[in-house]
Amino acid sequence: MVTTTLSLSSVPISSLDKRIQSLENEQSSLGTQEYFVNMGPQHPSTHGVLRLVLHLDGETVKEVIPVLGYVHRGMEKKCEFIGYRQQVHLTDRLDYLCALMNNWAISHAIEKALNIELNERIQVVRTILAELQRIQSHQLWWGVFGMDLGAFTPFLYGFRDREKITAIFEDTIGARLTMNFIQPGGLMFDITSDFAQKVKEFIAYFKPILNEYDELFSGNIIVQERLRNVGILDAKTAISIGTTGPILRASGVAHDLRKLEPYGVYSQVQFDVPVGATGDCWDRYQVRMQEMRESIKIVEQLIDNIPEGKHMVMKFGAKIRVPEGVYYSEMETARGIYGNFIVADGSEKPYRLHMRTPNFNNLWSIIRMAPGLRIADLVTILSSIDIVVPDIDR
Amino acid sequence: MNNSDLESYLLSLDKDLVLREKSDRVSITVPSEKLLQVMTQLRHDRALTFDMLSAHTAIDWSNENKLELIYQLYSSEHHHRIMVGVYLNREAPVTFSLCSLWQIAEWQEREVFDMFGVRYQNHPDLRRILLEDEWQGHPLLKDYKDDFMLERPW
């Protein structure tokens, strides 16, 4: 309506509600709708080829259905056809960020079955290498965790510092990712003479850097708001799900095989097992940050007195025959407990070998944690679980 | 409880439990029809409290025409562990699901179904987990063959 006379009351004033209402009347309603979305298999924040079928209501997650098996390589079947010595090389390809610890776990299982006594040098070197790898794995996790939350700088920092350990491994072992260094009966070859020096240089470099990590990321209020009280996993559920490693410890259960059933030389070193209180993403973050400090402590205690001795107590390349029986042994990797179940029939090959991988159980916790949260929080939770997909699919 | 105490305590629970030889840990064999009853006892008995199902898998004893299910249990309260074995008929392997006792059993049983073809009664969502739904056969059985498997050249 167009009027020709001017007066205050003839000019109508609208409001936001009215504006929205007019839109609502014109178009569909503004209410959310339920739908399914595939997250993955190719998605940067699933850390590999993991597919999550999300049942969403608007942006809220109602249900998560993980779909596994995109990198299933039939490892357990393969192990039935190859010898005990060969299958050590397959374990690198499970959790590639804990290659050395996986090598150690299966070597430990075979050594226990054969009752092989190792000398101190082998045990100390193995422990140092495992702890270095724990730091290295957590560095990478810290980097990608930052990136998943939308901060790119931690990614660069994490990889910059991880490179220092990778360089030590490259000099000593000759490989950067799939190490194949720890063998049943000892080590593939002896450590280089400057190994201790390089590790000490790294520790001197990395100790102040850890505080920098805290200043850069942990102390940030946005980070804390996004992590605190997100994805809470209580201790009872965490145990029932069979989660291990930092996830279980963040829920307040001080379960660490290095303390409970010490292997290597963990019984001779002083270290604490960090635990969380509520089991949210913030606790999982803090547990891993503390673990890096504890790992440094362990390495510092051992690096100055690496005993002399041979690096291999078995004849190199000798065929291994495990006596008939069933054997199960577990070891604490950076992500949790990696167990090897060996059924031996007395021949050179295992009759059956089952790999109990930590990520398989750990991933299950997302089904309990995600419902009711937003998609962005789902990415945070997934990153705080720190999964490696080839480890799940085997 | 140390291992020998644990053994005698377990044997006192049920007369049908048998200790397994040639095992590196305390290990019992349960008759398949008593599995659910014994497992419930292991889970809820105050002296045992096996609250963590660490691993679940199977062994195909094809020569004896048997399939053995293996459960690795751990108690986070008492820090002791046992292995439980159950023999099933290899031609028609069927047993009860333990999802009501340990939540993770849902996935572990799906894996054993996928790889060995064991059917679990009362499982909420029994389908393949690592292989696709259309896959034929169960690969970890000793007599499994498919077109992708290569013969050894030596």
Side-chain angles (χ1 to χ4, degrees):
Chain A
M1 196 176 72
V2 183
T3 51
T4 47
T5 51
L6 284 173
S7 75
L8 271 180
S9 58
S10 68
V11 182
I13 309 253
S14 184
S15 70
L16 181 62
D17 284 348
K18 281 185 198 158
R19 175 82 182 96
I20 290 170
Q21 237 161 30
S22 71
L23 277 177
E24 264 196 327
N25 295 337
E26 275 170 32
Q27 297 162 8
S28 61
S29 97
L30 286 176
T32 56
Q33 80 186 87
E34 288 187 22
Y35 52 102
F36 284 92
V37 171
N38 269 319
M39 184 171 160
Q42 275 80 32
H43 190 283
S45 61
T46 57
H47 299 267
V49 272
L50 169 70
R51 177 176 160 205
L52 300 173
V53 178
L54 305 181
H55 179 195
L56 302 172
D57 180 3
E59 212 193 327
T60 310
V61 179
K62 293 194 83 173
E63 199 186 347
V64 186
I65 308 171
V67 183
L68 312 178
Y70 285 89
V71 273
H72 178 60
R73 292 148 294 174
M75 279 206 186
E76 293 176 12
K77 187 79 177 174
K78 269 180 204 149
C79 286
E80 293 175 13
F81 292 91
I82 59 176
Y84 289 105
R85 203 173 273 288
Q86 287 165 300
Q87 70 205 16
V88 175
H89 309 290
L90 282 180
T91 57
D92 293 356
R93 277 82 178 166
L94 289 168
D95 183 350
Y96 45 77
L97 298 177
C98 299
L100 279 168
M101 283 185 254
N102 286 357
N103 287 168
W104 190 4
I106 193 147
S107 304
H108 181 69
I110 295 168
E111 283 153 9
K112 251 175 66 180
L114 292 174
N115 279 325
I116 294 175
E117 282 292 320
L118 298 172
N119 62 34
E120 275 290 288
R121 184 181 179 84
I122 295 171
Q123 298 282 26
V124 169
V125 172
R126 282 181 176 187
T127 311
I128 293 172
L129 289 171
E131 289 312 310
L132 282 177
Q133 186 140 62
R134 196 181 306 275
I135 299 172
Q136 190 196 32
S137 168
H138 286 353
Q139 282 171 334
L140 190 140
W141 157 82
W142 184 79
V144 291
F145 190 58
M147 200 169 68
D148 283 341
L149 288 173
F152 194 67
T153 319
F155 183 71
L156 300 174
Y157 277 39
F159 267 82
R160 178 194 67 192
D161 302 330
R162 182 177 183 269
E163 185 60 31
K164 309 265 182 211
I165 299 186
T166 311
I168 297 174
F169 285 163
E170 197 177 2
D171 291 346
T172 315
I173 295 166
R176 292 166 60 87
L177 194 69
T178 48
M179 318 277 185
N180 284 333
F181 186 59
I182 297 177
Q183 301 280 315
L187 309 166
M188 190 84 118
F189 33 78
D190 211 350
I191 51 169
T192 50
S193 52
D194 56 351
F195 173 75
Q197 183 55 36
K198 279 179 184 158
V199 172
K200 275 188 240 173
E201 276 168 23
F202 164 75
I203 287 174
Y205 164 81
F206 189 58
K207 263 180 146 177
I209 295 273
L210 258 176
N211 298 332
E212 201 183 318
Y213 281 13
D214 277 338
E215 281 167 31
L216 178 74
F217 197 69
S218 322
N220 188 319
I221 186 70
I222 301 169
V223 170
Q224 297 208 9
E225 287 288 321
R226 286 201 58 187
L227 298 185
R228 280 186 201 276
N229 294 321
V230 170
I232 296 175
L233 190 70
D234 61 285
K236 219 177 149 191
T237 317
I239 291 169
S240 175
I241 292 171
T243 56
T244 46
I247 300 175
L248 184 59
R249 292 195 281 275
S251 296
V253 185
H255 182 64
D256 191 328
L257 285 185
R258 293 177 295 169
K259 274 274 189 235
L260 294 172
E261 295 165 20
Y263 51 91
V265 286
Y266 286 114
S267 52
Q268 300 168 24
V269 288
Q270 303 289 324
F271 67 102
D272 298 322
V273 178
V275 287
T278 47
D280 53 3
C281 288
W282 175 251
D283 277 349
R284 288 191 278 277
Y285 176 85
Q286 280 299 338
V287 163
R288 287 204 185 86
M289 293 305 273
Q290 287 304 323
E291 274 187 16
M292 283 200 256
R293 293 194 163 87
E294 296 301 324
S295 293
I296 290 177
K297 247 197 290 184
I298 296 173
V299 175
E300 273 180 334
Q301 290 170 53
L302 294 172
I303 196 69
D304 280 323
N305 331 299
I306 301 177
E308 293 299 316
K310 287 208 291 193
H311 66 278
M312 183 61 118
V313 294
M314 282 168 82
K315 195 170 151 237
F316 193 82
K319 281 199 171 148
I320 296 172
R321 282 195 173 80
V322 175
E324 200 183 329
V326 290
Y327 309 90
Y328 182 64
S329 99
E330 289 182 335
M331 199 168 271
E332 188 82 31
T333 72
R335 273 163 202 76
I337 289 171
Y338 170 51
N340 282 293
F341 176 63
I342 299 174
V343 182
D345 57 358
S347 71
E348 288 159 18
K349 302 169 201 162
Y351 185 77
R352 166 105 176 88
L353 186 113
H354 176 68
M355 293 153 173
R356 180 252 188 254
T357 49
N359 291 296
F360 186 82
N361 291 12
N362 288 355
L363 177 65
W364 210 83
S365 58
I366 198 166
I367 297 177
R368 285 282 170 274
M369 287 193 276
L373 297 173
R374 301 298 169 96
I375 300 178
D377 290 333
L378 178 77
V379 173
T380 313
I381 294 172
L382 200 60
S383 201
S384 78
I385 299 175
D386 188 22
I387 51 163
V388 169
V389 178
D391 192 43
I392 300 169
D393 289 349
R394 278 161 282 155
Chain B
M1 250 190 273
N2 63 27
N3 280 355
S4 55
D5 286 349
L6 192 61
E7 275 179 10
S8 48
Y9 188 84
L10 286 168
L11 289 178
S12 70
L13 284 179
D14 199 307
K15 62 176 178 10
D16 290 331
L17 300 184
V18 187
L19 280 184
R20 186 197 183 100
E21 286 166 26
K22 287 181 182 166
S23 167
D24 63 343
R25 63 194 53 230
V26 178
S27 173
I28 52 167
T29 306
V30 183
S32 67
E33 66 277 5
K34 283 201 173 170
L35 176 71
L36 197 59
Q37 179 207 327
V38 171
M39 287 305 219
T40 312
Q41 232 169 348
L42 293 177
R43 170 69 184 84
H44 293 298
D45 191 311
R46 278 288 170 82
L48 298 170
T49 331
F50 286 107
D51 49 7
M52 200 188 266
L53 177 60
S54 196
H56 170 43
T57 185
I59 312 167
D60 178 17
W61 300 108
S62 55
N63 290 340
E64 297 154 40
N65 206 21
K66 277 181 193 163
L67 205 63
E68 187 181 9
L69 298 183
I70 298 285
Y71 297 86
Q72 303 284 356
L73 301 180
Y74 178 74
S75 165
S76 67
E77 204 179 314
H78 305 294
H79 302 295
H80 53 214
R81 47 179 83 233
I82 57 165
M83 190 176 103
V84 180
V86 186
Y87 285 104
L88 299 181
N89 179 359
R90 191 170 179 274
E91 305 305 324
V94 60
T95 186
F96 286 103
S97 167
L98 300 179
C99 294
S100 54
L101 298 173
W102 298 280
Q103 295 181 30
I104 189 60
E106 186 181 333
W107 270 19
Q108 294 178 342
E109 287 172 354
R110 273 175 67 189
E111 193 193 327
V112 175
F113 162 71
D114 196 358
M115 296 295 159
F116 292 90
V118 178
R119 310 293 165 94
Y120 292 91
Q121 188 90 46
N122 304 332
H123 190 286
D125 183 21
L126 191 65
R127 57 193 164 90
R128 288 185 183 270
I129 188 165
L130 293 176
L131 303 172
E132 59 242 53
D133 291 339
E134 295 79 24
W135 197 273
Q136 296 295 316
H138 301 282
L140 282 179
L141 292 175
K142 289 283 176 185
D143 53 4
Y144 175 81
K145 282 261 181 310
D146 71 28
D147 298 343
F148 309 112
M149 286 173 82
L150 301 173
E151 287 295 319
R152 258 177 186 262
W154 63 91

